[in-house]
Every structure is written in C-alpha cells, then in structure tokens.
C-alpha cells in the first residue's frame, strides 16, 4: 500500500513538472525560473476555476494531476463562483496575480498556460471549458 501511494505521488510530481516544463519551454526559461512558471500556472488556473460553474470546475479538475489539482483548489470559494470576468478583466487579474514582466504580457501568459493545460486533458473536457466562457474569453482559449 505504501509503495502504491509513493508511486502515485511520484507520478503526480512527474506530470506536474512536465506541465511546468512546457510553460518554461514556451518562454525559453531555464529551470531556475520555476517560480515564474508556477506563478503563471497558479494564477491562470485560479482565474479559470473562478470563471466556471462548480460542476464544470470539478469535471475539469478531475483530469489534472493530483498536485496540480491541489494548486487549483487552493483557496477556492465555490459559493462565490462563477465570477463574471470578460477578457479584459481576466487579463487584468492575470497581471495582478503574475508579478513578472514577460514578453507578451498577461495575454501571452494566459495563452501559454491554457495551451499547456489543453495538452494535458481530453479534448472533450477542453471543449466544455471553452464553451462555458463568454465569446471574448473564448478567443484566449486554444
């Protein structure tokens, strides 16, 4: 039993590191900038989560690695969702939550993280997430 638990945590850690590496590769960041890739992932995940209904948020989270799921749900207040954010509001909030100056600003951060996440969940679930967003937000979602 302990061996299975250890293996599950290792697998989750490996999958989480792969997601963070994908973000870093998109920007050309070295591993030493892992704090930036983590901040980008966390910020966009929280804003995406808070924009969805509780049901859709739970369905999306079920496909994330356990460690990323923990990041996703950290601080979640399901009684307060969905929060109505249009594209500009969403990008403003990304800028507030991601304190680093990077090429392309908050729009590029959002697109990199969303593109990375899209590759790690099923197309059907991704289509569901995209369809819950207002039209101007759908432009950001690959």
């Amino acid at each position: 039993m302990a061996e299975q638990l250890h293996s599950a945590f290792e697998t989750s850690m490996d999958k989480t590191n792969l997601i963070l590496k994908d973000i870093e590769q998109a920007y050309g960041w070295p591993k030493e900038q892992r704090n930036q890739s983590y901040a980008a992932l966390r910020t966009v995940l929280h804003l995406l989560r808070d924009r969805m209904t509780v049901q859709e948020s739970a369905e999306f989270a079920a496909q994330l690695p356990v460690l990323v799921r923990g990041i996703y749900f950290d601080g979640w207040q399901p009684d307060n969702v969905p929060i109505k954010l249009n594209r500009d509001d969403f990008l403003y909030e990304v800028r507030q939550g991601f304190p680093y100056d990077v090429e392309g600003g908050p729009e590029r951060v959002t697109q990199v993280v969303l593109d990375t996440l899209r590759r790690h969940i099923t197309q059907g679930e991704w289509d569901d997430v995209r369809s819950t967003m207002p039209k101007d937000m759908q432009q950001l979602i690959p």
Side-chain angles (χ1 to χ4, degrees):
M1 181 70 159
E3 192 172 302
Q4 287 177 322
L5 181 63
H6 180 68
S7 177
F9 281 122
E10 279 187 3
T11 299
S12 181
M13 182 63 87
D14 290 345
K15 289 178 180 179
T16 301
N17 279 324
L18 182 60
I19 290 170
L20 294 171
K21 284 179 189 176
D22 285 353
I23 294 168
E24 291 159 4
Q25 285 178 344
Y27 273 105
W29 295 336
K31 187 177 179 181
E32 292 75 30
Q33 288 181 273
R34 178 65 43 104
N35 58 330
Q36 286 185 207
S37 56
Y38 170 77
L41 177 64
R42 184 178 188 282
T43 299
V44 173
L45 274 176
H46 284 187
L47 288 167
L48 188 65
R49 170 201 73 193
D50 290 346
R51 186 62 188 85
M52 290 190 275
T53 65
V54 171
Q55 180 68 35
E56 188 55 44
S57 190
E59 290 171 7
F60 173 74
Q63 294 196 12
L64 298 172
V66 172
L67 183 57
V68 175
R69 197 175 314 147
I71 296 165
Y72 181 78
F73 283 122
D74 183 43
W76 191 40
Q77 297 178 347
D79 291 341
N80 298 335
V81 298
I83 296 172
K84 303 289 185 198
L85 293 174
N86 64 31
R87 182 181 182 277
D88 291 339
D89 294 337
F90 191 94
L91 293 175
Y92 174 81
E93 293 298 329
V94 169
R95 182 65 187 129
Q96 297 307 303
F98 182 75
Y100 304 95
D101 289 323
V102 295
E103 184 178 330
E107 185 168 348
R108 175 90 170 115
V109 169
T110 301
Q111 289 172 331
V112 165
V113 171
L114 293 177
D115 189 50
T116 297
L117 291 170
R118 181 185 53 81
R119 292 191 305 267
H120 293 274
I121 66 168
T122 65
Q123 186 61 49
E125 184 55 38
W126 193 253
D127 291 343
D128 288 349
V129 168
R130 193 170 193 277
S131 71
T132 67
M133 299 294 147
K135 296 287 184 213
D136 67 338
M137 282 283 298
Q138 289 180 7
Q139 297 169 2
L140 290 173
I141 301 174

